[in-house]
Every structure is written in C-alpha cells, then in structure tokens.
Amino acid sequence: MEEALSSHPFAFQARHGREHISAALVGMAREPRAPGGGSGAGAAVITRTRTENKRPKLYRVLLLNDDYTPMEFVVEVLERFFNKGRDEATQIMLHVHHNGVGECGIYTYEVAETKVTQVMDFAVKNQHPLHCVMEEK
C-alpha cells in the first residue's frame, strides 16, 4: 500500500514541494510513449487494408471488309475516329482489304463501344456499308 501512495503525484508533492512536481510532469510529457498511450510493454498490431485494382477487360475494334466501301473512306475513318496517321491508316486499310478484317485499336469496353457506334453512324450517313465490330481481347 505504501508503494501505491509513493507513486501517486500528490505523494511526490507532499515530499518534495510544488516546484518539483512541475518539473517532474514536464519531464513525463517529453518521454516517448507507445501508440495508444500505454507504457509500451505490450505489442501493437497495425493492419493495413490493401485493395487490388483489377485491370479492365480490353476489346479489339475491328473493321470488316466489303466490296463497296471506297478505300479512301476507310482511311478517312481510321484517321478521324482512331487518330491514325495517313501511312498507318493506309496500312490498316490494305490489311482489311487483303485479309477481310483489320484491327483499329484496343480499348476498354465503353471506349470501344463508342468508337464502333461512331464509325457505323458515319458509314450510314455517307451511305457506305462499312461494318465495325468489337471483340474481347
């Protein structure tokens, strides 16, 4: 019981006077403490939630060959909707012409869907039967 009283701050004040208690409290305030205000004797467990972002599925946008759409129109579509330069657009157009299908680009679902719609609307507006489709990569 006497040990408990001797560790109490008022017991310190009674033995050493008011000015000593102020110095003792300042010293205690500067001592490093363990997280949570404990004495540091216990072990603290820190958990961090780690979220993994999945990459979105990608889709290939493809042009299909037909016998009626002019080659120049296909080049224009590739330049306008797929930001291809004249040389690259011509190469893709020739690939479509010779192989029946050619890849315009690889995009997320929403972007691929938008590009297919834009190309199809542009082809209909200009009275060409050009077909553009998308498929999962």
Side-chain angles (χ1 to χ4, degrees):
M1 179 80 171
E2 190 169 308
E3 285 180 22
L5 288 176
S6 65
S7 65
H8 193 275
F10 294 125
F12 184 84
Q13 180 183 3
R15 284 187 310 226
H16 302 287
R18 206 168 196 55
E19 60 280 346
H20 292 287
I21 195 165
S22 300
L25 290 175
V26 169
M28 287 174 31
R30 291 185 183 153
E31 291 178 14
R33 291 193 175 181
S39 64
V45 177
I46 299 172
T47 59
R48 186 174 13 176
T49 303
R50 186 171 180 207
T51 58
E52 289 189 29
N53 295 331
K54 289 185 179 179
R55 291 193 175 268
K57 289 183 181 179
L58 296 177
Y59 293 81
R60 299 170 64 205
V61 176
L62 307 171
L63 282 179
L64 307 178
N65 190 39
D66 64 74
D67 294 331
Y68 305 102
T69 303
M71 292 180 180
E72 189 57 38
F73 181 78
V74 176
V75 171
E76 182 182 350
V77 164
L78 290 163
E79 289 174 335
R80 180 180 288 201
F81 298 107
F82 298 97
N83 300 317
K84 304 295 183 185
R86 179 62 110 187
D87 292 339
E88 187 179 6
T90 302
Q91 288 178 345
I92 294 170
M93 176 274 298
L94 288 172
H95 188 271
V96 171
H97 182 70
H98 293 297
N99 299 308
V101 65
E103 183 178 278
C104 304
I106 301 171
Y107 307 96
T108 59
Y109 181 83
E110 292 81 8
V111 174
E113 185 178 45
T114 300
K115 292 202 179 278
V116 167
T117 302
Q118 289 173 333
V119 170
M120 295 298 291
D121 290 347
F122 189 65
V124 168
K125 180 181 174 187
N126 289 278
Q127 300 177 351
H128 294 297
L130 181 65
H131 283 285
C132 186
V133 296
M134 61 188 257
E135 71 177 19
E136 190 173 336
K137 185 172 180 199

